[in-house]
Amino acid sequence: MKIAMLGGGMVGQTLAGKLLSNGHEVTIGIRSASAAELAKPRNYADTLTDWQARTGGRVATFAEAAAAADLVFNATSGLVSLAALAAAGAENLAGKVLIDVANPLDFSHGMPPFLPAALSERTSLGEEIQRAFPAALVVKAFNTVSAPVMVQPALVPGVELLIAGNSAEAKARVAAFARDEFGWSGVVDLGDIAGARGTEHLMPLWLRLFLQGNSPLVALKVIRG
C-alpha cells in the first residue's frame, strides 16, 4: 500500500518504520520538506534526515504525501492537527480512510499535560476532524497506547485496540490492518466518531499511570462482567 504518515515525530516515525519493514511504501508528511526542516531535532526521535538514512523512507509535504496515498495516518501533534490536515488538502483526503492517532494535549504548563477547554465532553479532536473533512473516513485508533505498543501490542499482554468512527466498513478495515500489520488481536468498537471523546479523555489518566509507574508500557483494558 501507499501510506501517508502525517507527522514526523516519535509516533509517526515508529508507525512508518514498522510499515516500511512490512513492505509498504510510506511517506512521512511534514509542513516543509526542506533540508533544514529534515535536519531539525525532534523530541524523543531521530531527525528526519537520520530517519531517512536508517529506513529508506521518503519525506514530503503534507499535501504531497496525502495525494499519493491509499491510506492516511494523522500522527501530528493534536493541537495543530486541523491545520496540518488542511495543508494536506481536503481533496487529497476525500474517500480515504484517515486513521487519527493524535491526542489534543496541551503541554504549555509542563507535565502532565491537560485537555484544552475547547475540547470538552461535547466534542473531540476526532469529531472536529470528521466535521472539517466530511468526505474522509475518519477512524480514531491507537491513541491510548505509547508508540512502541502501537506496533508491538504484545509488549502489554491483553491490550485491546479502542476504535471509533462513523463508517463500519472503515473501522473493519482499520481493525484488520491493525491485526495484519502490527499483531493486534483484541478490538473494542466504541461506535461512531463521538467515541473519540472517551479515548481522548483517557489520556490524562494514562499519562498518570505512565508517570507513576515510570513506564509507557501500560494500557487500560475493558473488562465486562
Side-chain angles (χ1 to χ4, degrees):
M1 293 180 67
K2 293 183 178 179
I3 298 171
M5 188 64 59
L6 306 185
M10 178 178 64
V11 170
Q13 289 187 26
T14 300
L15 287 165
K18 175 63 174 176
L19 292 168
L20 280 164
S21 72
N22 288 354
H24 298 289
E25 184 179 327
V26 185
T27 301
I28 284 182
I30 58 175
R31 191 169 304 280
S32 167
S34 66
E37 188 65 25
L38 267 60
K40 178 180 173 182
R42 295 179 180 271
N43 291 336
Y44 312 110
D46 292 340
T47 68
L48 287 171
T49 300
D50 290 340
W51 178 83
Q52 283 186 295
R54 178 169 55 82
T55 66
R58 180 171 176 260
V59 179
T61 65
F62 289 133
E64 290 167 341
D70 306 309
L71 173 69
V72 180
F73 278 81
N74 172 38
T76 62
S77 177
L79 296 185
V80 300
S81 288
L82 288 168
L85 291 166
E91 68 282 6
N92 294 326
L93 303 174
K96 298 177 182 179
V97 173
L98 170 57
I99 303 177
D100 178 28
V101 184
N103 284 302
L105 296 172
D106 188 333
F107 289 87
S108 62
H109 296 284
M111 288 288 283
F114 58 90
L115 291 169
L119 292 172
S120 67
E121 70 277 4
R122 291 185 296 276
T123 191
S124 64
L125 176 61
E127 288 171 272
E128 293 302 304
I129 291 172
Q130 185 64 87
R131 186 173 296 113
F133 303 95
L137 303 171
V138 180
V139 178
K140 193 80 182 187
F142 299 105
N143 68 305
T144 59
V145 295
S146 61
V149 179
M150 292 178 190
V151 300
Q152 192 177 351
L155 290 171
V156 182
V159 66
E160 294 174 311
L161 184 67
L162 307 180
I163 65 173
N166 293 343
S167 167
E169 180 183 354
K171 287 187 290 186
R173 289 172 61 187
V174 171
F177 185 89
R179 179 194 65 225
D180 297 342
E181 302 297 335
F182 305 137
W184 284 86
S185 57
V187 176
V188 178
D189 188 342
L190 299 175
D192 66 17
I193 194 61
R197 301 178 196 181
T199 62
E200 291 175 16
H201 279 72
L202 283 175
M203 291 317 295
L205 172 59
W206 182 89
L207 281 160
R208 284 285 180 177
L209 293 170
F210 167 14
L211 295 172
Q212 291 301 110
N214 198 33
S215 172
L217 302 183
V218 61
L220 296 161
K221 182 175 176 63
V222 176
I223 300 175
R224 292 186 172 91

